[in-house]
Amino acid sequence: GNSVTQMEGPVTLSEEAFLTINCTYTATGYPSLFWYVQYPGEGLQLLLKATKADDKGSNKGFEATYRKETTSFHLEKGSVQVSDSAVYFCALSVGGSTLGRLYFGRGTQLTVWP
Amino acid sequence: DAGVTQSPTHLIKTRGQQVTLRCSPKSGHDTVSWYQQALGQGPQFIFQYYEEEERQRGNFPDRFSGHQFPNYSSELNVNALLLGDSALYLCASSSLDRGTEAFFGQGTRLTVV
């Protein structure tokens, strides 16, 4: 089946620290991979995506590389800011009969202290 | 562009009651999906509507039903509410034909007491 396993949180960092949030997946077929971010009291916002192996998605200083050999899509940022504090969700989608459906991980709470 | 809008923002219902949540998709989108996000969990897919029909469904009981209108807006109905239905309900819109990504609304927080 299709599933996403995400690094357990919460993660607490000081401002300007390096961030890694691990994500691995299981999928039927060739998935597209996503990172979504959820700020307090809000819905989900797409942070970045990658649609094929070895693609790197990037946005707002965040990066993630689609690694087919390790079935991973780890999120990284070189220097986090207080404003990055949020919950981060890794997700995948596959085509066919489930086109458009997203499978999410449990989320990782990130707190950045000044 | 107003993006995806959901109403109401918050709702409190009593166990056994019925509830209807509403979603207006982003302009140009024709597909609406609904997700349930329990506290501390990732969103779980409920179902997806396209061309006014339920196109696919997740592992949710028949108490959960929906509808899509000709203007692409959608409703999620939950009957015989249980305490465990308390969650954030998220609507996402997209255009499957054009392969657009899903855009999410801010959600409806449902509390069942």
Side-chain angles (χ1 to χ4, degrees):
Chain A
N2 301 306
S3 67
V4 173
T5 302
Q6 219 176 304
M7 171 180 173
E8 293 288 328
V11 174
T12 303
L13 296 172
S14 297
E15 204 165 28
E16 299 183 4
F18 184 85
L19 168 71
T20 299
I21 302 177
N22 290 336
C23 171
T24 57
Y25 67 89
T26 302
T28 56
Y30 300 97
S32 294
L33 302 173
F34 307 85
W35 278 100
Y36 281 85
V37 58
Q38 186 174 37
Y39 297 101
E42 297 185 13
L44 302 178
Q45 298 176 25
L46 179 65
L47 181 59
L48 53 84
K49 67 179 181 181
T51 57
K52 61 183 187 295
D54 299 325
D55 270 2
K56 177 184 283 188
S58 62
N59 186 27
K60 300 180 181 179
F62 291 89
E63 294 182 339
T65 301
Y66 188 144
R67 299 290 189 196
K68 184 179 176 183
E69 63 276 12
T70 55
T71 62
S72 64
F73 192 55
H74 305 320
L75 182 68
E76 296 182 337
K77 186 175 186 183
S79 177
V80 294
Q81 305 300 312
V82 172
S83 58
D84 294 327
S85 298
V87 181
Y88 292 81
F89 292 94
C90 185
L92 68 83
S93 71
V94 294
S97 63
T98 63
L99 181 64
R101 173 177 177 173
L102 289 164
Y103 298 81
F104 286 91
R106 294 184 61 174
T108 301
Q109 172 76 56
L110 170 66
T111 302
V112 181
W113 296 100
Chain B
D1 184 0
V4 180
T5 58
Q6 292 186 242
S7 63
T9 306
H10 296 83
L11 202 52
I12 300 175
K13 288 287 189 178
T14 302
R15 189 172 47 184
Q17 286 188 314
Q18 179 264 345
V19 68
T20 297
L21 311 181
R22 295 176 175 83
C23 173
S24 293
K26 182 178 170 64
S27 178
H29 286 181
D30 55 12
T31 303
V32 173
S33 299
W34 287 92
Y35 292 82
Q36 180 195 67
Q37 185 181 11
L39 198 61
Q41 303 294 317
Q44 298 293 315
F45 178 80
I46 303 175
F47 43 53
Q48 180 189 81
Y49 277 85
Y50 173 71
E51 293 188 337
E52 302 180 48
E53 292 191 357
E54 184 182 291
R55 187 175 173 277
Q56 53 177 313
R57 187 180 184 92
N59 188 26
F60 279 81
D62 292 345
R63 298 187 298 108
F64 289 78
S65 63
H67 189 77
Q68 185 178 36
F69 298 94
N71 67 353
Y72 307 119
S73 68
S74 177
E75 289 182 348
L76 164 65
N77 301 291
V78 187
N79 294 321
L81 284 166
L82 303 174
L83 297 180
D85 295 332
S86 296
L88 180 67
Y89 288 85
L90 295 165
C91 170
S93 75
S94 60
S95 174
L96 296 184
D97 291 342
R98 291 187 282 124
T100 63
E101 66 202 37
F103 284 78
F104 283 80
Q106 83 285 0
T108 295
R109 173 71 65 185
L110 172 65
T111 302
V112 182
V113 298

